[in-house]
Amino acid sequence: MSPDSHAKLPRLQPEWYRGRAAVFWTHTVHQRHTGWLTDTFHQQFREVLLHTCARYALACPAYVVMPDHWHLVGLGLAAHSDQLRATHFLREHLGRALKPRELQPQAHDHVLREEARKRGAFQTACRYIFENPARAGLVDAGKNWPYSGAIVAGYPKLDPHEGDYWERFWSIYTRKVDSH
């Protein structure tokens, strides 16, 4: 199969992405083009991700935007949460901001199973995301990368690089899940 092929990656059945699913997403720019990551794009990314989370009842406890791709974790907050639809919405609206570049035809996903959803394992997976820029040699520590963060509707100052982040996040997450 050629690298330009538009073959679809295998997906689980749609129900795996609904409800309180936890999904690790990777969105890659076609042909790994760079040059589009700016402060302005990051602001647009945060705005569209916020609308996506609000519209589809999701929380994003971790994201990092790299020069040729981005990673994010989506957590469903309600029975009606739908991460496949949310991903379509996110890609549609961010695709406009990337012009003339495009995203690869399909995001890669990893649905977290029960063991990976336990708080310690989950937080380790999120820390792995935050350290991606350091592993790539872009900064000395992930916390120094300006294009990372978390999005939870109603909490604009939630900073995953603060020492009490996880305690605050789980408290907010529990309240949001209980309110849905």
Side-chain angles (χ1 to χ4, degrees):
M1 185 180 325
S2 78
D4 292 331
S5 170
H6 291 290
K8 295 274 189 181
L9 295 169
R11 288 246 188 266
L12 296 171
Q13 294 299 312
E15 56 270 13
W16 284 93
Y17 302 91
R18 294 184 189 135
R20 297 206 179 120
V23 185
F24 178 107
W25 294 95
T26 300
H27 301 261
T28 304
V29 175
H30 185 63
Q31 297 183 341
R32 296 264 186 189
H33 282 287
T34 60
W36 51 269
L37 180 55
T38 63
D39 291 343
T40 300
F41 179 83
H42 185 228
Q43 290 170 341
Q44 291 171 321
F45 177 88
R46 288 184 57 83
E47 180 179 354
V48 172
L49 184 56
L50 173 61
H51 284 287
T52 302
C53 287
R55 184 177 186 139
Y56 295 98
L58 302 173
C60 176
Y63 76 80
V64 64
V65 184
M66 299 290 287
D68 62 358
H69 68 283
W70 63 78
H71 299 288
L72 62 88
V73 174
L75 280 178
L77 299 172
H80 66 272
S81 299
D82 187 331
Q83 293 201 41
L84 289 176
R85 291 181 65 211
T87 296
H88 178 77
F89 179 88
L90 179 75
R91 291 171 63 84
E92 175 186 345
H93 291 278
L94 285 175
R96 294 177 192 154
L98 280 172
K99 294 289 181 201
R101 292 164 184 88
E102 297 178 345
L103 291 169
Q104 286 184 353
Q106 182 176 325
H108 178 268
D109 67 77
H110 177 74
V111 176
L112 301 179
R113 307 296 174 130
E114 186 176 339
E115 200 57 36
R117 290 183 61 134
K118 292 183 178 174
R119 286 190 183 185
F122 182 81
Q123 289 170 207
T124 298
C126 290
R127 278 192 292 276
Y128 183 83
I129 290 172
F130 290 130
E131 288 304 315
N132 205 17
R135 283 191 307 280
L138 299 170
V139 289
D140 59 341
K143 67 182 179 181
N144 296 329
W145 184 246
Y147 307 117
S148 66
I151 296 289
V152 180
Y155 297 88
K157 302 243 186 252
L158 191 60
D159 183 351
H161 304 299
E162 291 181 356
D164 65 343
Y165 170 69
W166 286 109
E167 181 180 321
R168 290 186 63 219
F169 174 79
W170 290 121
S171 175
I172 293 164
Y173 173 77
T174 300
R175 283 194 309 273
K176 285 195 163 283
V177 165
D178 287 348
S179 71
H180 282 91

